Amino acid sequence: FDVTTMSAISSGIFPLFPAAGYADHSGDISIMTIDPFRIPTDTEIAEAERKLNFCFPPSYIEFLKGGGNVENAVFEPAVILPGADYLSLFEIAETAWNRDGVPKDWLPFIEDNGDYFLISQTGEVRYWSHNGTMNEKWPTFSSWFQQVCVERQ
């Protein structure tokens, strides 16, 4: 923010929203940024595992800590941090498990038009289609990543 904007905020011309910032008792303004696409902490990853009742395999944790980069793939991975809207891992999992019949021992980490890429607690990855076909699978997260995200096959 520039000086004019900060003056307008502190004078009350622009209301403050919890996600944008707050005024403390001295009248100073502190700006907070909520970034759902930042790299999650170990604590946030553990909390996500607890909320989902799903133990993330080490390869998926490494993926999360790497920023969830899917190279040049045409889809976006789910996000465990608040504010991710349609990319929320919690909302995607809820829909997949409770509406679409995905077994709860498979975590949907990418949703694309009702289809999912799923990961098991052992790190195996498979594709789940809303049409019910599940022929595509990979023995490891790294083999899925190489084929689907890097080579785009």
Side-chain angles (χ1 to χ4, degrees), residues 10 27 56 70 74 84 94 102 104 128 132 138 144 150:
S10 63
F56 298 161
V70 288
V74 295
E94 178 78 19
V102 171
K104 289 190 176 186
W128 174 280
W138 299 264
W144 167 82
V150 177

Side-chain angles (χ1 to χ4, degrees), residues 25-92:
H25 296 293
S26 68
D28 292 334
I29 302 297
S30 298
I31 302 299
M32 300 182 318
T33 303
I34 295 177
D35 180 6
F37 303 105
R38 68 175 168 74
I39 295 174
T41 65
D42 289 339
T43 302
E44 290 165 329
I45 292 170
E47 180 64 14
E49 290 177 299
R50 187 192 64 72
K51 284 181 181 178
L52 292 164
N53 195 28
F54 190 94
C55 184
F56 298 161
S59 56
Y60 185 62
I61 292 172
E62 184 178 320
F63 175 71
L64 292 171
K65 289 182 174 185
N69 183 359
V70 288
E71 298 286 325
N72 58 356
V74 295
F75 43 72
E76 298 174 284
V79 177
I80 67 168
L81 298 173
D85 298 325
Y86 71 95
L87 290 176
S88 167
L89 180 62
F90 307 103
E91 291 181 28
I92 290 170

